[in-house]
Amino acid sequence: MRLSFLAAALIALAPAAQADEITIFAAASLKDALDEIAADWQASHGDTVVISYAGSSQLAKQIQEGAPADLFISASTAWMDAVQDSGDIDPATRRDLLGNTLVLVSTGKPAEAAVTELPGLLGDGKLAMAMVDSVPAGQYGKAALTALGLWEQVEGQVAQADNVRAALKLVATGEAPLGIVYGSDAVAEPGVGVVATFPADSHEQITYPAAVTRAADTPQAAAFLDSLSQEPARSVFESQGFTVTQ
């Protein structure tokens, strides 16, 4: 009885485990899926997960300038390469996490068409895209249009947005009749429908690399990253139109 009483007393005096805060910088296209996954993690682990969404280029530059992120998930290997080259991630934690498709979308429930019909479908309207020189979705989109011989025909009608979700919103609200976004974005937004999917060989493979940053101050960042390739996160990503590569 004395030992049991002593053990109980020691347990009562032991400090409670403190929850951590995990700060994640993530590509805008991940918002719906990652918000759900983060909520599940918070409920099961007690940690606070804070996520900043933007274009991968903007996030990479913020990390290089010292922004306090624990984990970076990019929609572009090039921007992950940039933060690795500047020494701002732990390369040992880097992995290719997800894949995606590139689609042409319109408001509502449009009829399917061939991508090559884009100029005729567009008419005098605007084509919503993420920034074509810096944001991955815009870069993939420009590359696909160029490969298909369409870029010069529509370049003057492109309405560039800060990130792919902003481009998606232009279509969902009817401000642009057509837009180029990821397949996962079309799943996330009930106000748009897919007109066509761009051929996989018309652009570089869409890959989402992820890594823990050098500035990370919680071991939970690595644990959260590991969980993204496992259930239930895996099913969430797949239900949102992503492919899980790890």
Side-chain angles (χ1 to χ4, degrees):
M1 290 293 295
R2 183 178 178 81
L3 282 175
S4 297
F5 177 81
L6 180 58
L10 289 173
I11 292 171
L13 290 173
Q18 291 188 344
D20 285 337
E21 180 173 288
I22 307 168
T23 301
I24 302 170
F25 279 20
S29 53
L30 292 165
K31 180 170 174 50
D32 292 79
L34 203 54
D35 279 352
E36 182 176 344
I37 291 166
D40 289 342
W41 178 275
Q42 289 182 154
S44 60
H45 291 74
D47 300 320
T48 300
V49 182
V50 179
I51 310 175
S52 177
Y53 295 105
S56 299
S57 57
Q58 180 181 347
L59 297 172
K61 291 173 183 176
Q62 290 175 356
I63 291 171
Q64 290 174 321
E65 292 169 359
D70 298 311
L71 180 63
F72 179 37
I73 310 176
S74 171
S76 161
T77 55
W79 285 111
M80 185 62 78
D81 289 344
V83 293
Q84 180 169 331
D85 290 344
S86 61
D88 290 298
I89 64 163
D90 178 358
T93 67
R94 178 174 173 172
R95 67 193 67 183
D96 289 339
L97 182 65
L98 303 168
N100 214 328
T101 57
L102 193 69
V103 297
L104 178 68
V105 295
S106 184
T107 309
K109 297 181 179 180
E112 293 184 4
V115 172
T116 51
E117 297 178 59
L118 172 58
L121 295 171
L122 192 59
D124 296 328
K126 293 293 186 181
L127 177 65
M129 297 177 66
M131 302 293 287
V132 299
D133 291 328
S134 59
V135 177
Q139 293 174 314
Y140 292 128
K142 181 180 178 180
L145 293 173
T146 301
L148 295 170
L150 300 172
W151 176 250
E152 290 186 358
Q153 298 179 58
V154 302
E155 180 181 4
Q157 294 169 264
V158 173
Q160 298 188 55
D162 287 342
N163 57 67
V164 69
R165 284 303 174 92
L168 180 69
K169 185 175 180 180
L170 290 176
V171 181
T173 57
E175 295 182 60
L178 293 167
I180 298 176
V181 298
Y182 295 125
S184 59
D185 296 311
V187 173
E189 175 50 70
V192 307
V194 175
V195 176
T197 299
F198 284 87
D201 61 1
S202 66
H203 55 82
E204 289 186 13
Q205 181 177 341
I206 299 171
T207 302
Y208 289 70
V212 175
T213 68
R214 287 290 190 189
D217 61 0
T218 170
Q220 289 297 81
F224 185 88
L225 175 55
D226 287 341
S227 78
L228 296 180
S229 300
Q230 305 165 10
E231 295 295 350
R234 188 182 192 94
S235 292
V236 173
F237 281 129
E238 291 174 345
S239 71
Q240 291 288 332
F242 296 93
T243 56
V244 182
T245 58
Q246 288 273 333

